[in-house]
Amino acid sequence: MSDRLTFPKGFLWGAATSSYQVEGNMRNEWTEWEKRSVEKRVKESREESWHDSWRGYGKKERNPEFSKEASDPANYISGAAADHWNRYEEDFTILQELHLNTYRFSIEWSRVEPEEGVFDQEAIDHYKAMIASLRRRDIEPFVTIWHFWLPVWVAESGGALSPEFPTRFTRYAERMAREFGKDVTFYVTINEPDIYTSLSYLLGFWPPEKKSVILHFRVLHNIKEAHKKAYAAMKAVAPHAKIGITKQFMHFVVLRKTPWNLVARRFADWWWNTSLVHALEGYQDFIGFNYYQKKIIGKDTRDQTKILHTDISWEYDPESIYDALLDAKRYGMPIYITENGLADAADRLRGRFIVETLTSVHRAIEDGAPVLGYIHWSLLDNYELDKGFWPRFGLVHVDFATQKRTIRPSARLYARIAETNTLETD
Ligand code: BGC
């Protein structure tokens, strides 16, 4: 039976990127860290157990299909990345070709404020030109102010842990809101604050590689303060703006309903999903909803051979977004799905993933979740953080040697849905 699932009028259809992962040729905390850690990362990629975390990085992630690329030192230097800094017009033409009406991207703090309190007008004008180009094409800019990495001067003066951090961040965020004025409505101040503190301060995988529960909580506290301060300052100069953070939500599932598992599920849901949203109450105009996969509480007793995995071995899980969206209904705010996608170099699963995910999203909307947009991660293959280039999340394939862009078949399928605001299933 074929079905036509129509999305609400004015639904935002988009794709996302972030500065460091696509722009290329910059100098920030992470580009400095890359150089220092190449050898370590190459060595790790050869080890039996590549680093393991609750985010889904685990042994299986050492996908043999990619071991050659993963053990090449060049994989760990972001370099020109996807050269989006120079090729953004070409990339925006692709957005248009894909019928997308929003684009989420981030401002590179190290470019616009390379030294404390010294703003680089040329870099700011570059972002203004990007925004103007999007506007000309009727594409709504969805601007992230800070996506995980810091200018070197911020990192060297205590990073996000410094008592000065909220003030520094606010000065930068306010300046951006003032510069962009009426041309930007949607702002994400901070991308995934708790993923950042977990991976950078608790598990020590990302710079500054700290492993401390205390630091994790201190930085998280500081970041929340930074967001609130920036929110107020940005609203003062751009009252029209809709401002929030993005957060990676998780849906926790219990397979065996033991009393312990049920209590653990409640706690995990409160601790991971709700506590941050509550802490920012009054300082968010929407829920920036990033979603990748569910989490099993207790022993995973499922037949593992029946579970599909993406290239970085995260579970192929297009359905649990339904439950996660219904969980998020309780916050009583409009929801924008600001990231969702998968590493799939061969484009084997992506088309099916998009269709199944959007079917789940549509069902969640019918059941009352106020979802107003879907932004796929990512527009382009990019530099996937500590993993380097081999995990390919792009709707568009990028040949990093020639910078040639090729639209993947799954993107064409997504484009049809965006163009008609309707998903046809059979
Ligand atoms: C981050 C992106 C990243 C993606 C896939 C998200 O948590 O915001 O920067 O590329 O996950 O790992």
Side-chain angles (χ1 to χ4, degrees), residues 28-98:
N28 65 21
E29 174 193 24
W30 276 62
T31 58
E32 296 307 287
W33 178 71
E34 279 168 15
K35 291 181 223 150
R36 294 196 302 274
S37 59
V38 172
E39 261 172 57
K40 183 171 159 229
R41 286 151 89 191
V42 168
K43 193 165 151 268
E44 272 171 5
S45 77
R46 297 199 175 109
E47 278 163 10
E48 241 342 271
S49 58
W50 210 345
H51 63 215
D52 209 348
S53 91
W54 48 266
R55 192 173 176 238
Y57 286 2
K59 284 189 183 161
K60 285 168 289 159
E61 194 168 348
R62 204 167 143 278
N63 189 332
E65 235 184 285
F66 300 97
S67 56
K68 195 163 157 271
E69 284 165 89
S71 58
D72 176 358
N75 177 59
Y76 298 100
I77 297 292
S78 59
D83 197 27
H84 184 61
W85 182 256
N86 297 310
R87 292 167 197 263
Y88 70 85
E89 290 288 2
E90 179 186 346
D91 295 335
F92 293 175
T93 302
I94 294 176
L95 283 173
Q96 269 182 309
E97 204 177 321
L98 296 180

Side-chain angles (χ1 to χ4, degrees), residues 17-18 21 55 57 104 147-149 191-192 195 199 206 246 248 290 292 312 314 338-339 341-343 377-378 382-387 391 393:
T17 60
S18 77
Q21 295 182 268
R55 192 173 176 238
Y57 286 2
R104 179 176 169 222
H147 196 119
F148 295 152
W149 32 88
N191 181 59
E192 300 184 343
I195 289 283
L199 295 182
W206 292 353
T246 49
Q248 201 173 116
N290 291 1
Y292 288 93
I312 54 170
W314 294 2
T338 35
E339 273 185 42
L342 71 173
W377 182 271
S378 176
N382 59 47
Y383 186 73
E384 174 51 27
L385 310 172
D386 53 335
K387 296 282 165 282
F393 276 83

Side-chain angles (χ1 to χ4, degrees), residues 208-267:
E209 295 186 86
K210 303 285 187 227
K211 290 186 187 167
S212 155
V213 179
I214 294 173
L215 289 185
H216 161 79
F217 283 112
R218 278 183 52 200
V219 177
L220 194 54
H221 174 77
N222 225 17
I223 294 184
K224 287 180 208 161
E225 292 309 303
H227 166 78
K228 290 191 205 166
K229 212 171 150 69
Y231 177 93
M234 292 168 81
K235 281 277 179 180
V237 295
H240 66 282
K242 294 186 196 304
I243 306 172
I245 59 159
T246 49
K247 171 169 166 53
Q248 201 173 116
F249 285 87
M250 287 181 194
H251 178 67
F252 295 96
V253 175
V254 161
L255 297 177
R256 282 180 54 242
K257 290 193 173 143
T258 63
W260 165 249
N261 280 352
L262 291 172
V263 169
R265 201 198 86 82
R266 266 188 101 94
F267 175 75

